[in-house]
Amino acid sequence: MAKDEKKTEGQKLQEKLSYKRKNYFEEASKEERDAIFSYAEGYKRFLDVSKTEREACEYAVRAAKENGFTEYFFGDKLKKGDKKYFVNRGKSVVLFRVGSKNPEQDGFRIIASHIDAPRIDIKQNPLYEDSGVCFLKTHYYGGIKKYQWTAIPLALHGTVILSDGSKKEIRIGDEENEPVFYINDLLPHLGADQMSKNAGRFIDAEQLNVVVGGLPYPDKETSNKIKLTALKILNEKYGMCEEDFLSSELSAVPAFSARDVGLDRAFIGAYGHDDRVCAYPALTALIEQDSEHTVLAMLVDKEEIGSEGTTGIQCKVYEDLMEEIALALGANYRKVRAASKCLSSDVTAAYDSNFSEVFEKMNAAYVSCGTCMSKFTGARGKSGSNDASAEFVGEIRKIFADEGVVWQTAELGKVDVGGGGTVAKFVAKLNIDTVDLGVPVLSMHAPYELISKADLYSNYKAFLAFLK
Ligand code: MN
Ligand code: MN
């Protein structure tokens, strides 16, 4: 009070009329700060066992079951209070709860995030040896800076369907005692030519070959002895033959685990914050938040390559699910969609003072200033973007204000410098009001990305508020 009385007229007026972004760590009470840090522990555990969309999906199903959710199949009856999960091909999952409000008037409240992340996929005929080393050939997945994926420890994750139709899950390289895999880079001593290239050509895609072995099979009469050793190990461990790679989905992902970063542990470094830093809060908020609304958390696949295919959000299966829910509740699906609201929950670029030239300071997302709303994404004049309406942004703003959510708003970089897209436009197409909301990330799409624990928790709080 005394402090307030000392303020001048102008200072008071400025406070009343001006907008200022807030640092959430600074705003948080002691209790809330503790909550920020303890929530991050669960998130790190989730990251370490969810390096592919299949693993994230499995985690979500496990968490759902543990919290009384049961599996839903098309055509099932639904009633108020039901807690359900719907799995799509083991690669995406939708959790939902049936609320007491009339869905024709209230619609659904939807959070849509993705659980796939950039990585190095293994080709269908990948195995060869050359000059004492056995490699796997690869085809990268999503938008990566290829040179960042060399000379780091990699783990091999994925699924192989054998000739008899049986399925084998492969996961090697995350445990302390397991071997890792590796992509070579050139030594600087011989790198003069390489160093003169621009970074996009620094490592060619066809040079991203993964080292998998070096031990020759002990038989002088055979050729490709190192490859044979690799095949033998795969055969002993998984019953695999070389031909089984044809029906496999294997990926090399960073073998790093999620770690606190900084003396004060404010940040988390990890592989795949994009977009598990939104998927995890979506999952936990949906599990925890009892709501009068009918609410859905969609954890989808294939966002990094355009939301295509049977597991990307453009697939009809998600619409079918919403229609089935509406039908089961005796509601007109078109009315339900028209009344629904969606947070398209994906990460955005955090302002980086080391690369300030690509950001417009007033409209950038700052780490620790809370989860970030992007009214629009896209590139060059908002092209390819869902540009949310002022009315809808106003509605969400009010929800956040009522629940004390610390949040910010931003665009992805300076106008005309670059851009990006999310699943927002595909949901909006269904006549569902949608806006982007997600955590600012440093070094997005790098093998090890950085986020602030405050932003993670703010995202979770925003979802709790939205679903309430
Ligand atoms: Mn993303
Ligand atoms: Mn991405």
Side-chain angles (χ1 to χ4, degrees):
M1 210 56 182
K3 206 176 165 192
D4 212 47
E5 277 160 17
K6 274 186 210 152
K7 282 180 185 159
T8 65
E9 241 3 80
Q11 279 175 320
K12 283 182 198 162
L13 193 63
Q14 194 152 46
E15 238 165 62
K16 191 177 157 197
L17 300 183
S18 308
Y19 167 70
K20 207 169 164 274
R21 202 178 276 107
K22 290 173 187 144
N23 182 298
Y24 186 22
F25 280 128
E26 238 176 279
E27 291 295 307
S29 64
K30 169 80 176 70
E31 291 73 40
E32 196 156 30
R33 205 185 262 230
D34 290 347
I36 289 172
F37 279 89
S38 78
Y39 186 76
E41 295 305 307
Y43 174 56
K44 284 185 288 179
R45 285 193 292 275
F46 161 74
L47 285 175
D48 288 343
V49 296
S50 309
K51 289 190 175 176
T52 64
E53 66 280 359
R54 288 177 193 267
E55 291 164 1
C57 181
E58 264 173 49
Y59 181 99
V61 168
R62 250 188 340 264
K65 280 184 183 165
E66 281 166 17
N67 287 280
F69 286 64
T70 54
E71 186 160 11
Y72 170 84
F73 299 95
F74 285 166
D76 284 358
K77 288 197 171 70
L78 291 172
K79 58 176 189 317
K80 280 172 210 162
D82 275 351
K83 304 198 286 183
K84 295 284 175 184
Y85 65 89
F86 173 80
V87 180
N88 176 20
R89 296 170 169 86
K91 293 169 146 219
S92 75
V93 57
V94 181
L95 278 79
F96 64 94
R97 304 173 69 129
V98 181
S100 56
K101 289 203 169 179
N102 179 347
E104 286 187 7
Q105 284 146 25
D106 191 54
F108 297 156
R109 297 221 169 171
I110 306 159
I111 303 172
S113 63
H114 68 91
I115 48 179
D116 61 320
R119 62 187 186 226
I120 309 290
D121 279 351
I122 308 303
K123 286 191 184 188
Q124 298 328 119
N125 186 22
L127 199 64
Y128 72 100
E129 75 168 80
D130 194 343
S131 316
V133 184
C134 186
F135 295 98
L136 290 171
K137 293 215 59 73
T138 69
H139 191 143
Y140 64 93
Y141 174 94
I144 61 165
K145 288 177 165 180
K146 293 187 277 287
Y147 68 84
Q148 292 182 329
W149 294 72
T150 65
I152 59 168
L154 297 167
L156 203 59
H157 288 227
T159 301
V160 183
I161 305 299
L162 304 185
S163 55
D164 66 358
S166 64
K167 187 195 271 195
K168 298 287 173 188
E169 304 291 345
I170 294 182
R171 188 186 164 99
I172 313 168
D174 292 286
E175 304 304 324
E176 225 17 74
N177 59 344
E178 286 175 348
V180 293
F181 306 90
Y182 190 80
I183 296 172
N184 301 340
D185 197 356
L186 189 57
L187 63 168
H189 316 65
L190 299 177
D193 186 40
Q194 182 195 38
M195 300 286 266
S196 69
K197 292 178 185 172
N198 73 43
R201 311 280 316 164
F202 212 81
I203 293 281
D204 282 330
E206 294 293 354
Q207 289 174 316
L208 291 175
N209 301 313
V210 179
V211 173
V212 291
L215 209 59
Y217 188 81
D219 180 346
K220 290 224 158 52
E221 301 311 306
T222 56
S223 57
N224 282 316
K225 297 186 185 72
I226 301 173
K227 179 177 167 181
L228 188 58
T229 301
L231 282 171
K232 184 166 178 280
I233 294 170
L234 289 173
N235 186 261
E236 283 168 0
K237 266 190 107 166
Y238 305 106
M240 259 185 91
C241 297
E242 189 174 14
E243 194 179 344
D244 296 323
F245 278 112
L246 301 182
S247 49
S248 72
E249 264 179 352
L250 294 171
S251 308
V253 294
F256 313 123
S257 53
R259 302 278 294 267
D260 288 348
V261 172
L263 293 169
D264 55 10
R265 299 176 179 265
F267 305 113
I268 301 172
Y271 162 63
H273 282 313
D274 177 8
D275 183 33
R276 289 151 199 159
V277 73
C278 295
Y280 182 76
L283 172 69
T284 51
L286 191 114
I287 285 174
E288 285 158 36
Q289 188 61 285
D290 207 3
S291 179
E292 294 181 332
H293 311 288
T294 294
V295 295
L296 292 84
M298 299 186 171
L299 313 187
V300 299
D301 181 31
K302 294 284 184 280
E303 193 279 339
E304 295 297 354
I305 58 167
S307 298
E308 312 281 355
T310 50
T311 51
I313 206 159
Q314 291 198 70
C315 177
K316 196 88 167 68
V317 66
Y318 306 102
E319 220 198 315
D320 287 347
L321 174 63
M322 288 192 283
E323 188 168 1
E324 286 285 321
I325 298 171
L327 215 67
L329 300 177
N332 177 309
Y333 178 48
R334 290 180 185 178
K335 285 187 181 174
V336 171
R337 275 192 287 141
S340 291
K341 309 178 204 307
C342 174
L343 294 181
S344 157
S345 187
D346 206 343
V347 298
T348 189
Y351 177 84
D352 188 338
S353 58
N354 299 297
F355 302 98
S356 58
E357 65 279 7
V358 299
F359 296 95
E360 187 268 286
K361 280 195 149 184
M362 286 174 63
N363 291 280
Y366 292 82
V367 287
S368 306
C369 290
T371 188
C372 179
M373 188 189 291
S374 298
K375 184 175 176 294
F376 49 86
T377 57
R380 293 169 304 281
K382 304 189 180 182
S383 256
S385 163
N386 158 59
D387 194 356
S389 71
E391 288 87 345
F392 186 55
V393 171
E395 232 182 292
I396 300 296
R397 183 183 154 200
K398 172 89 171 46
I399 290 173
F400 290 170
D402 289 347
E403 297 295 319
V405 177
V406 173
W407 64 286
Q408 57 184 324
T409 185
E411 301 185 20
L412 196 134
K414 274 184 180 165
V415 182
D416 282 354
V417 164
T422 65
V423 301
K425 63 176 178 179
F426 303 120
V427 181
K429 229 173 156 173
L430 303 175
N431 190 26
I432 295 175
D433 272 317
T434 305
V435 69
D436 279 293
L437 185 90
V439 168
V441 175
L442 288 160
S443 308
M444 193 197 296
H445 284 203
Y448 213 57
E449 304 172 321
L450 206 60
I451 61 113
S452 160
K453 289 180 182 175
D455 298 332
L456 166 69
Y457 193 70
S458 152
N459 205 30
Y460 166 68
K461 275 195 67 175
F463 292 164
L464 285 177
F466 176 68
L467 297 177
K468 194 173 171 182

